[in-house]
């Protein structure tokens, strides 16, 4: 079965760091465009980052310079390293698989992992 | 990277049709010829219902249809059903390498 499962969320103080993981099964993360998308409580979806099949990485302006997306093909896992966290980074973080190279079309989503940034 | 603009809510009776708009600018929707749509029920992950403007993934009923003209895209739900009550989001290119979601629309089935 094709699925994604995120982990690593939790409560963190402003300025802290956290690494999210997204374990994939049923396909190889290296063969797809993979993204992180977040949703603040009661708010809409926000695209965060993508890692291309080539390994190229791109970020939303809101997280550029603070977040780093990566993958480990040996364990078929996607990561999001978050640093200098802010209260406004509080959200449910989803990892998502893109259906095509356009990567605006995410066909597989994980259940999400909650990140709460608070003092 | 400003969010694409969607109406906060739309409503319709069972069997009716509703249309949700997604408005961007000449830098995003108006420049790139791709848009996708998602349905999200409360407490659930989003579900892809339209990609490449008009295409439906396997298993999505043809009651859902998409279109695009200039800097705006639309999702139409025909034959509205109770289970269509959910939040809907568009997603498009914000630039060649970045993406942006719409503000989201709550569909209420009366």
């Amino acid at each position: 079965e094709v699925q994604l499962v995120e982990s690593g969320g939790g409560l963190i103080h402003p300025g802290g760091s956290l690494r999210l993981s997204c374990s994939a099964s049923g396909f190889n993360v290296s063969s797809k465009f993979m993204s992180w998308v977040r949703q603040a409580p009661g708010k809409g979806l926000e695209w965060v980052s993508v890692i291309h099949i080539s390994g190229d990485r791109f970020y939303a302006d809101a997280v550029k310079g603070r977040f780093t997306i990566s993958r480990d093909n040996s364990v078929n896992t996607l990561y999001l390293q978050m640093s200098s966290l802010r209260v406004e980074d509080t959200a449910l973080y989803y990892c998502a698989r893109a259906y095509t190279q356009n990567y605006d079309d995410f066909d597989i989503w994980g259940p999400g992992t909650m990140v709460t940034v608070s003092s | 990277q400003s969010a694409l603009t969607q109406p906060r809510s739309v409503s319709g009776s069972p069997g009716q049709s509703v249309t949700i708009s997604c408005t961007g600018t000449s830098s995003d929707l108006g420049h790139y010829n791709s848009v996708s749509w998602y349905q999200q029920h409360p407490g659930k992950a989003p579900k892809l219902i339209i990609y490449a403007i008009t295409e439906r993934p396997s298993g999505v009923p043809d009651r859902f249809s998409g279109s695009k003209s200039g800097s705006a895209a639309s999702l139409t739900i025909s034959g509205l059903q109770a289970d269509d009550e959910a939040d809907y989001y568009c997603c498009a290119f914000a630039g060649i390498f970045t993406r942006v979601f719409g503000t989201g629309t709550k569909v209420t089935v009366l």
Side-chain angles (χ1 to χ4, degrees):
Chain A
E1 180 187 7
V2 175
Q3 69 174 5
L4 297 166
V5 179
E6 305 91 341
S7 61
L11 175 62
I12 188 79
H13 292 310
S17 297
L18 203 60
R19 189 180 80 158
L20 305 184
S21 300
C22 171
S23 178
S25 55
F27 74 101
N28 295 323
V29 294
S30 61
S31 66
K32 293 288 188 179
F33 291 81
M34 298 293 299
S35 271
W36 287 95
V37 176
R38 68 185 181 183
Q39 187 169 33
K43 302 297 184 181
L45 301 172
E46 180 182 14
W47 181 83
V48 172
S49 180
V50 64
I51 183 165
H52 286 194
I53 295 172
S54 65
D56 291 340
R57 315 169 197 198
F58 300 95
Y59 303 91
D61 288 346
V63 307
K64 196 176 299 181
R66 301 187 299 122
F67 289 13
T68 301
I69 190 172
S70 64
R71 68 186 181 214
D72 185 336
N73 298 339
S74 68
V75 291
N76 209 24
T77 299
L78 180 74
Y79 300 101
L80 186 68
Q81 178 68 49
M82 306 185 295
S83 61
S84 301
L85 281 162
R86 305 167 180 168
V87 171
E88 55 265 35
D89 294 319
T90 294
L92 184 65
Y93 283 74
Y94 294 104
C95 67
R97 183 186 84 168
Y99 190 53
T100 72
Q101 63 184 8
N102 283 348
Y103 64 89
D104 60 356
D105 48 10
F106 304 109
D107 64 337
I108 303 295
W109 296 68
T113 187
M114 187 68 200
V115 173
T116 302
V117 184
S118 174
S119 54
Chain B
Q1 294 172 355
S2 298
L4 305 171
T5 301
Q6 297 181 232
R8 184 176 293 270
S9 64
V10 299
S11 61
S13 299
Q16 289 187 329
S17 295
V18 295
T19 296
I20 302 167
S21 61
C22 172
T23 304
T25 69
S26 58
S27 298
D28 42 56
L29 263 179
H31 190 77
Y32 300 95
N33 208 31
S34 182
V35 64
S36 296
W37 289 90
Y38 298 86
Q39 175 192 64
Q40 187 180 34
H41 286 110
K44 301 293 187 181
K47 174 188 175 183
L48 179 67
I49 55 173
I50 295 287
Y51 69 99
I53 304 176
T54 61
E55 301 301 305
R56 287 185 306 278
S58 174
V60 175
D62 60 5
R63 300 186 298 104
F64 294 90
S65 61
S67 64
K68 178 180 175 292
S69 178
S71 301
S74 295
L75 172 72
T76 297
I77 309 173
S78 304
L80 203 61
Q81 299 180 1
D83 189 53
D84 297 334
E85 187 160 294
D87 294 325
Y88 291 81
Y89 296 90
C90 57
C91 183
F93 284 43
I96 192 168
F97 296 122
T98 56
R99 302 297 178 259
V100 63
F101 283 93
T103 51
T105 299
K106 180 175 178 59
V107 170
T108 300
V109 181
L110 301 172

